[in-house]
Amino acid sequence: MEHKDPTEEELVELIGSRFSGSTYWNNFCSVLEKSSSTYHGELLITARMLLEKDLMLAGVFFENFPKAAQHTGSEGIRKWAGIGIKIFDQDKDLAFDYFSHSAGLLKDLDVSELEMWALHGIALFEEDPSLGKPYFSLNSESSKQFIEGLKGSAALNEMVSVLRYYALGLSGINFNILSRRMLQVEQEPNSLNPVIAGRTIYLAPRIRKYGDLGDSFRIYKLSIMHEVGHLQFSSHKIERDDAAGLMADIRSRYTTIMKRTYLSGLQPEGIIDIADIIALFPNKALAGTILGVLEDARVEYRIMEHYKGVRSDLERIRCQMLLTRSVPKGGLEEFMESLLWISTGHEPVYNISEGTEGLLEETRTLLKDRIFHEGSSVLDSLYTTFRIYAMLDDRMGPLSHKEYETLKNIDYRGVDIGAYGRKDPFSPGSHESIISNFIPQSEMEPEPDKEEPKEEVKRQPAYAMKKNWKILGSYMYDEWDAVISDYKADWCTVNEIEPFGMSSDYYKDASEHYRHEIALIKQVFDRMKPEAFHRMKEQTDGTEIDIDAFIDALMQKKCGINPDDRLYLRWDKHERDVATLFLIDVSYSTHKTIGYDEKSIVDIEKDSLIIMVQALESIGDKYAICAFSGQTRDDVEYFVIKEFHEELSDNVARRISVLEPVSNTRLGPAIRHSIRKLDKVDARTKIIILLSDGEPFDTSRGESAYKDRIAEEDTRIAIKEGTAKGIHFFCITVDPDPGKYLDNIFSDAGYTIIDDASSLPERLPILYKKITT
């Protein structure tokens, strides 16, 4: 039976039945009367949600609602209540304290900050329950300090527009400035280090550690300045001829790896990556860290020479951050921390050993000669890395397997997204990640005039263009981001494509192979055809009296009951009115072969369609067939195999025959485009049936990442969008180990797992019969 959300009147009646006779009912009615109409729906849903937990909890919520409503919108109210429910699940009394005291905090904190404060309180309560009540009643010092820290911190969202223009003015490139929360992974929640992904700079959402609001804004600016400096003055690649002498010197000293070659990837002829040079050192991790420190120092020297106006800010903030760093243990850790200090032009403020002081004296000379001068390059940093490494090897060596606590960079300096979030970025063989912790890999020339054409090229459907297939149109769709609990507007591009094939042989061969199955299924489907007319009893009007209903009405009247007026029979023409869109996953993973005949998953999907369409032709249901795959958010390719209005023809047979595995599974946009197509069809029952071999996933990284919770939530929301339009959804998967994603996404829609994928052709028509009858 179809589930419908209750109306506002039904919710009021439901809540009244629970509140009636209590002081809470008056509070509720008063709040409802005073609140604007835009709040009514949110209030009623929230009230119902709280009532399911506890009557008194709902009461204290409504007592404090007016104060909260002064400072936040309807969505904020719902989140405010949701936080209270989280606390209630920990302790009932704490939830009452929360609602009683937190409404006033919304004047100075947004709801996400209030949630941070609440989660901190829950953590304290779990450690020591006696700390809970004073924390949520705002009587504890830790609670007050946490709130003051939130109030006094600089929020990125208040500055992002200014910072974007600042980056554009410095570099000529329109950088995207986003919160690091978008990445969903926090190595150290309190760290400030930006994360760099091409043209996007992810900054810490708040800065609390340093100085006042003005200093916080300067830190954001310096972070951007530092990354712009790397863009202008740094590089991961150099001419092989220029590096030949250095590489010969390294090989000459470390003869055990003279014959060893290392290539981080295919490079253009005559070009070598700096990672290939660092790979020549016995201790790659240490060499990569030295290079990172030197390259940051060189870039900042060039920045201060080029943009003299930032010198005083950079010096002051840099010194301030250095002073908060921990004192090193000794040995290599002491030298590396001291190297970081002197590379910024500052002397260590802690006591250093005599041995380290001797090493630093030589290092200062190297920095002055090679790093701190106009025109220095990454090759200078590499030469200096070799000299410092050899010096350490002589005094502390051999360094080949020497372990030490890895150096952490200064807070305002960025890391490449490829190194961010790795569990062990300093494991053996990960020197590229270590380098990326200091030197982001985005290398773009500041050519703003070329930016828009590049975007146009990126949005072209790569697979379809390679095949020379017809592009029917491009459509922009929002995508739900579970991190920000909101849509990203016009985030994905779906390119609708008409495939073209020269031969329908695959279709014909499969039809012949499954001829017996097709004949049997047609017989089954023939029995699904409805009768021409259907007798409908107990109608309010009709062509004749319903005798049974009339007798029941007389008996009810004799008993003093007001009878129903449904006293007629009506004969209605009863026609099957179903429109189904089959959405086929043709991601790369469908190339896998299974079964004794080693058929690929995509071929099994094609066989299933071939049987299915011939069965559907016999019953007369409206149907369309589409397939999809995605390269990135800018290129989700949607292949139209058969439209609803299109006859089954040799063209359709050729399009089915030509289907093959393509790329990724960005499912949300494909569902939204399917909804768009079904929404235009006139049918009483509308269904999308998805055939897939796995969970939604896209290899895109950074802000475009589409996997795990992000992908699952977007797909789930896309299905809800279809449900709101009256479209039913059903997933058929051949994923043998689907884990939790199926239930997370499709529990409200419906799904089935085909354990033996090779049985899909025979089982799909039977499943369709169950779904549509």
Side-chain angles (χ1 to χ4, degrees), residues 105-126:
L105 296 177
L106 289 169
K107 179 180 178 182
D108 299 307
L109 306 178
D110 62 34
V111 179
S112 62
E113 290 162 347
L114 187 75
E115 184 175 28
M116 292 170 64
W117 167 76
L119 290 175
H120 183 66
I122 291 172
L124 290 176
F125 171 78
E126 288 175 342

Side-chain angles (χ1 to χ4, degrees), residues 459-461 464-465 468-475 493-500 625-627 636-646 655 673 676-677 680:
R459 289 174 185 256
Q460 294 299 312
M465 291 185 71
N468 202 26
W469 288 351
K470 184 177 180 181
I471 301 166
L472 302 174
S474 295
Y475 304 82
T493 303
V494 174
N495 293 299
E496 191 173 291
I497 293 151
E498 180 185 320
F500 175 77
I625 303 170
C626 301
V636 177
E637 296 187 62
Y638 191 93
F639 308 106
V640 178
I641 311 303
K642 180 192 173 296
E643 292 279 20
F644 283 105
H645 62 268
E646 191 175 3
R655 292 175 201 146
H673 196 61
R676 185 189 194 122
K677 296 178 84 67
K680 297 176 183 177

Side-chain angles (χ1 to χ4, degrees), residues 117-363:
W117 167 76
L119 290 175
H120 183 66
I122 291 172
L124 290 176
F125 171 78
E126 288 175 342
E127 289 179 9
D128 185 353
S130 67
L131 300 176
K133 184 171 181 58
Y135 184 94
F136 285 101
S137 59
L138 305 183
N139 290 322
S140 75
E141 195 61 33
S142 64
S143 180
K144 292 176 182 177
Q145 285 180 359
F146 199 95
I147 292 166
E148 286 306 310
L150 290 169
K151 287 180 181 179
S153 60
L156 175 62
N157 57 10
E158 298 169 5
M159 307 175 180
V160 68
S161 297
V162 177
L163 293 171
R164 189 176 290 120
Y165 283 117
Y166 181 67
L168 179 63
L170 289 172
S171 64
I173 291 175
N174 191 15
F175 279 96
N176 199 16
I177 310 295
L178 296 174
S179 168
R180 217 172 52 193
R181 284 177 183 157
M182 301 279 285
L183 296 172
Q184 305 176 69
V185 177
E186 282 288 13
Q187 288 174 308
E188 297 178 45
N190 294 322
S191 76
L192 303 180
N193 299 101
V195 180
I196 316 303
R199 294 175 185 266
T200 302
I201 302 176
Y202 295 93
L203 296 172
R206 285 196 169 271
I207 295 176
R208 304 184 180 91
K209 294 168 64 172
Y210 302 104
D212 56 19
L213 193 64
D215 276 348
S216 298
F217 182 54
R218 290 186 189 96
I219 292 169
Y220 279 135
K221 285 173 61 181
L222 290 176
S223 292
I224 290 171
M225 174 67 77
H226 183 83
E227 303 319 320
V228 168
H230 271 294
L231 178 67
Q232 292 181 321
F233 304 122
S234 192
S235 175
H236 270 256
K237 295 176 176 64
I238 56 178
E239 293 289 337
R240 186 180 293 272
D241 289 345
D242 293 341
L246 171 62
M247 294 171 71
D249 288 345
I250 299 172
R251 287 194 177 102
S252 176
R253 179 174 177 108
Y254 301 108
T255 55
T256 56
I257 56 169
M258 277 188 67
K259 295 182 181 180
R260 182 177 176 183
T261 58
Y262 179 89
L263 290 174
S264 60
L266 296 176
Q267 304 292 347
E269 189 175 351
I271 301 295
I272 189 166
D273 195 290
I274 59 175
D276 298 339
I277 299 174
I278 293 299
L280 299 174
F281 289 89
N283 190 327
K284 303 175 189 64
L286 178 59
T289 306
I290 295 170
L291 174 64
V293 171
L294 296 177
E295 189 63 0
D296 272 342
R298 186 187 66 80
V299 163
E300 288 182 2
Y301 178 86
R302 298 288 302 274
I303 288 171
M304 288 195 287
E305 290 299 309
H306 199 74
Y307 304 105
K308 296 186 185 293
V310 303
R311 182 189 294 272
S312 59
D313 278 347
L314 180 56
E315 288 286 6
R316 189 163 65 84
I317 297 298
R318 197 161 58 176
C319 181
Q320 188 180 0
M321 288 187 172
L322 285 169
L323 291 171
T324 65
R325 294 174 66 86
S326 301
V327 176
K329 299 174 183 176
L332 265 180
E333 288 85 359
E334 184 182 74
F335 173 80
M336 291 301 296
E337 179 68 22
S338 302
L339 173 63
L340 182 67
W341 277 73
I342 66 170
S343 71
T344 64
H346 294 87
E347 290 299 318
V349 294
Y350 48 83
N351 295 324
I352 54 178
S353 64
E354 188 177 332
T356 298
E357 179 54 51
L359 290 167
L360 290 178
E361 192 58 40
E362 294 183 46
T363 303

Side-chain angles (χ1 to χ4, degrees), residues 446-653:
E447 299 175 296
D449 294 339
K450 293 185 180 180
E451 184 181 343
E452 193 167 326
K454 282 183 181 178
E455 185 70 14
E456 287 298 314
V457 171
K458 185 174 70 171
R459 289 174 185 256
Q460 294 299 312
Y463 179 79
M465 291 185 71
K466 183 176 72 174
K467 293 283 189 178
N468 202 26
W469 288 351
K470 184 177 180 181
I471 301 166
L472 302 174
S474 295
Y475 304 82
M476 300 295 295
Y477 290 98
D478 298 350
E479 189 170 271
W480 180 261
D481 189 327
V483 176
I484 61 174
S485 296
D486 201 354
Y487 286 99
K488 293 176 180 173
D490 292 337
W491 189 250
C492 292
T493 303
V494 174
N495 293 299
E496 191 173 291
I497 293 151
E498 180 185 320
F500 175 77
M502 296 296 291
S503 170
S504 59
D505 287 349
Y506 186 97
Y507 184 95
K508 293 172 182 175
D509 291 344
S511 297
E512 175 61 24
H513 178 77
Y514 291 105
R515 65 185 184 280
H516 298 302
E517 289 85 349
I518 290 170
L520 179 62
I521 289 166
K522 279 184 176 180
Q523 291 179 20
V524 173
F525 272 46
D526 277 340
R527 292 197 290 271
M528 291 167 61
K529 290 182 179 178
E531 297 175 3
F533 286 91
H534 180 67
R535 188 175 69 162
M536 302 179 70
K537 301 181 71 175
E538 297 183 3
Q539 302 298 303
T540 54
D541 62 79
T543 56
E544 57 186 279
I545 298 292
D546 184 344
I547 297 298
D548 292 337
F550 184 75
I551 292 170
D552 287 343
L554 284 176
M555 293 175 65
Q556 289 172 8
K557 196 167 185 179
K558 290 276 187 184
C559 295
I561 301 172
N562 193 25
D564 199 338
D565 61 353
R566 299 175 180 273
L567 304 175
Y568 298 92
L569 282 173
R570 189 172 71 237
W571 290 84
D572 277 8
K573 191 172 183 180
H574 182 65
E575 293 182 346
R576 186 177 168 86
D577 191 12
V578 178
T580 304
L581 188 148
F582 292 90
L583 184 60
I584 315 303
D585 172 8
V586 288
S587 57
Y588 182 72
S589 58
T590 60
H591 79 284
K592 286 185 280 190
T593 58
I594 56 174
Y596 68 92
D597 54 355
E598 294 190 336
K599 269 205 159 186
S600 68
I601 291 173
V602 74
D603 283 348
I604 290 170
E605 290 178 335
K606 287 155 67 172
D607 291 351
S608 306
L609 289 175
I610 291 164
I611 296 174
M612 192 71 236
V613 297
Q614 297 191 47
L616 286 169
E617 288 292 314
S618 71
I619 198 175
D621 282 2
K622 300 169 191 161
Y623 70 97
I625 303 170
C626 301
F628 76 98
S629 183
Q631 304 277 16
T632 63
R633 69 180 177 91
D634 297 302
D635 182 15
V636 177
E637 296 187 62
Y638 191 93
F639 308 106
V640 178
I641 311 303
K642 180 192 173 296
E643 292 279 20
F644 283 105
H645 62 268
E646 191 175 3
E647 298 292 329
L648 180 61
S649 64
D650 203 45
N651 282 337
V652 174

